[in-house]
Amino acid sequence: MISYIRFADNLSAWFGKAFAWLIIVMAVGTGYEVFVRYVMNNPTAWALDVSFIMYGTLFMMGGAYTLSRGGHVRGDFLYRLLQPRTQAKIDFVLYLIFFFPGVTALIFAGWKYASRSWGYGEVSAASPAGVPIYQFKAVIVAAGLLLFIQGIAQLMRCIIAMRTNEWVEAPEDVFETEDLLMREANKAEKDHLS
């Protein structure tokens, strides 16, 4: 089980980090639009659509990575007070009842939308530039598959936590600036005291 969890975590991390670069494409596109609109007085017909597509792709493809790192929103004001074994039992049931049916529906519905869209080369109806969006519809399926793979790993984490009363943590690879500053301050204080 541990090897599958590591595989799923690494796969989710790879896709999440690879697609995170879309934020730069989105920022450059938006910056370009602002420049040509307000400085050159010549707005583009495509920039808004490209920004939406980049943001949507980034959001969808980062979902499995966020799940692997426990970053999705949850109402844990009571949950956090429970033992890991109890948390795992709750999570296990919720994954089976809500997560997997929802993700499965996302994959099948996404497949239907994507195949139709690719079939006729769909373009944005809201865009005067006719920006193609069929490739974006395929992202729905890819994101669903990644979520499904990561969901299996999350179920395995639950099983291990139910047995051992300890969670199998994902490797830490991204840190909040405040956390890094607190660690440095704590380290400096410990060094100063010793």
Side-chain angles (χ1 to χ4, degrees):
M1 277 197 271
I2 295 292
S3 61
Y4 182 85
I5 292 170
R6 295 294 174 233
F7 160 75
D9 286 349
N10 290 335
L11 182 69
S12 296
W14 189 89
F15 276 98
K17 290 175 184 179
F19 279 87
W21 289 98
L22 290 178
I23 200 75
I24 294 173
V25 175
M26 190 174 89
V28 169
T30 303
Y32 176 78
E33 172 62 18
V34 168
F35 177 77
V36 298
R37 178 179 297 260
Y38 296 109
V39 176
M40 309 295 285
N41 198 26
N42 186 23
T44 66
W46 52 265
L48 184 63
D49 291 311
V50 170
S51 292
F52 284 157
I53 290 170
M54 294 300 110
Y55 179 73
T57 303
L58 171 66
F59 179 82
M60 294 290 290
M61 295 304 287
Y65 175 65
T66 305
L67 179 63
S68 75
R69 299 314 193 257
H72 286 289
V73 175
R74 68 170 49 193
D76 64 354
F77 60 96
L78 294 176
Y79 176 90
R80 65 184 168 86
L81 302 173
L82 303 173
Q83 290 292 316
R85 180 174 283 122
T86 307
Q87 291 174 342
K89 289 175 184 175
I90 293 168
D91 284 358
F92 190 86
V93 170
L94 293 176
Y95 275 113
L96 292 178
I97 293 174
F98 295 109
F99 179 83
F100 282 106
V103 170
T104 302
L106 177 72
I107 293 167
F108 285 111
W111 182 267
K112 182 176 78 172
Y113 293 131
S115 62
R116 283 185 194 162
S117 186
W118 277 82
Y120 60 85
E122 184 178 7
V123 297
S124 174
S127 170
V131 174
I133 59 171
Y134 56 89
Q135 71 282 9
F136 180 59
K137 300 272 178 105
V139 169
I140 298 168
V141 179
L145 290 171
L146 286 171
L147 279 168
F148 199 92
I149 291 167
Q150 188 61 50
I152 294 169
Q154 298 306 105
L155 278 183
M156 290 179 177
R157 277 190 166 91
C158 291
I159 292 168
I160 292 170
M162 284 188 278
R163 290 179 183 165
T164 65
N165 203 31
E166 290 183 21
W167 285 107
V168 175
E169 298 292 331
E172 289 191 49
D173 56 354
V174 178
F175 303 96
E176 295 286 336
T177 303
E178 302 102 41
D179 293 339
L180 291 174
L181 293 173
M182 288 299 292
R183 287 179 190 173
E184 287 178 20
N186 290 337
K187 184 177 182 280
E189 185 177 325
K190 286 179 184 176
D191 290 346
H192 179 71
L193 294 175
S194 52

